[in-house]
Amino acid sequence: MARNELFIAPSILSADFARLGDAVKLVEQAGADLIHVDVMDGHFVPNLTIGPPVVRALKAITDVPLDVHLMIDNAEATLDWYLDAGADIVVVHAEACDHLHRVVQSVHEAGRLAGVSMNPATPVEALRDILTDVDLVLVMSVNPGFGGQAFIPGSAGRIERLAALCTEVGASPRIAVDGGIDATTAPLVVEAGADTLIAGSAIFGKQDPAGALAAIRAAARTRLV
Ligand code: DX5
Ligand code: ZN
């Protein structure tokens, strides 16, 4: 399978929420390929973050595509809110959508890119029949809900199996990985088949977020073959 160009997607979950605009501008200037926006509902995950008004506000200040990761139950019910707010990529969880195919269709009908995410214990094989319909698959390498957790080691093997499954069914979505990504884990997941690296604390938790982003890219780019 052809590998996509490496994308680095800083997750604003670990940024200073009182200065989100500044955080986005900083990583935009540092060459961020996507801005990853974590939406949590306090039900699907045990944390509550932001919603459509913040997505709309960020859309107004940056041209970097917004990658909106919906960690919410029943995404179908509020999908339009995020589309209207300007999400460029909408990622929903397979575990939280009764009608996953319909959600993906709705995202495409709105002219946006659609992604599907899966938790660490969800079998990779469960996504087989949606792979040819999505633009991105997001492999959670921690249990969703919080930044700063340790990378689950089996995640690299899951990415390998996902990449093989994509080849088998003739699909070529971006393969994103989210959770515990830093300059040490980035090369492992890229070698396994990931091409989109989401990192929160390893970028915004550092004194020099721009330098941290560059270090992750430098550590990973040579492994993308
Ligand atoms: C976790 C979120 C992640 C989070 C990752 O549920 O989906 O996007 O920001 O944080 P780090 O990179 O600190 O593990
Ligand atoms: Zn996320």
Side-chain angles (χ1 to χ4, degrees):
M1 188 179 73
R3 300 289 298 278
N4 284 311
E5 173 199 353
L6 184 65
F7 275 7
I8 309 291
S11 163
I12 58 166
L13 183 64
S14 291
D16 179 352
F17 272 31
R19 296 174 182 273
L20 272 188
D22 293 345
V24 167
K25 282 292 162 195
L26 200 159
V27 291
E28 177 180 325
Q29 279 155 20
D33 300 287
L34 304 171
I35 302 293
H36 186 81
V37 182
D38 287 302
V39 176
M40 304 185 187
D41 67 353
H43 296 271
F44 179 64
V45 289
N47 196 3
L48 192 61
T49 55
I50 60 175
V54 175
V55 174
R56 190 181 304 278
L58 295 178
K59 185 66 188 168
I61 61 142
T62 185
D63 292 329
V64 180
L66 299 182
D67 172 35
V68 178
H69 181 189
L70 298 181
M71 286 161 276
I72 62 175
D73 279 327
N74 191 19
E76 276 184 282
T78 56
L79 180 67
D80 283 350
W81 299 356
Y82 299 94
L83 294 170
D84 291 347
D88 296 281
I89 307 174
V90 179
V91 181
V92 296
H93 267 262
E95 303 88 355
C97 284
D98 288 335
H99 301 286
L100 183 57
H101 188 271
R102 181 184 291 149
V103 172
V104 167
Q105 267 184 325
S106 300
V107 173
H108 283 153
E109 277 163 15
R112 315 297 166 79
L113 299 178
V116 60
S117 180
M118 56 179 165
N119 288 336
T122 298
V124 168
E125 184 69 25
L127 298 190
R128 172 185 281 270
D129 293 342
I130 199 75
L131 288 178
T132 51
D133 297 298
V134 294
D135 305 289
L136 177 146
V137 178
L138 190 163
V139 177
M140 286 305 309
S141 42
V142 297
N143 289 293
F146 303 95
Q149 302 180 81
F151 179 80
I152 298 172
S155 306
R158 286 168 55 73
I159 292 167
E160 264 174 31
R161 284 188 279 125
L162 173 65
L165 188 58
C166 288
T167 303
E168 190 187 324
V169 303
S172 49
R174 277 197 166 269
I175 297 181
V177 56
D178 187 6
I181 299 301
D182 57 20
T184 303
T185 52
L188 309 176
V189 295
V190 169
E191 242 168 33
D195 55 27
T196 301
L197 305 181
I198 297 157
S201 54
I203 293 179
F204 290 114
K206 302 290 183 188
Q207 286 286 351
D208 173 15
L213 189 159
I216 293 171
R217 196 191 293 280
R221 69 165 12 132
T222 56
R223 310 297 177 98
L224 192 76
V225 288

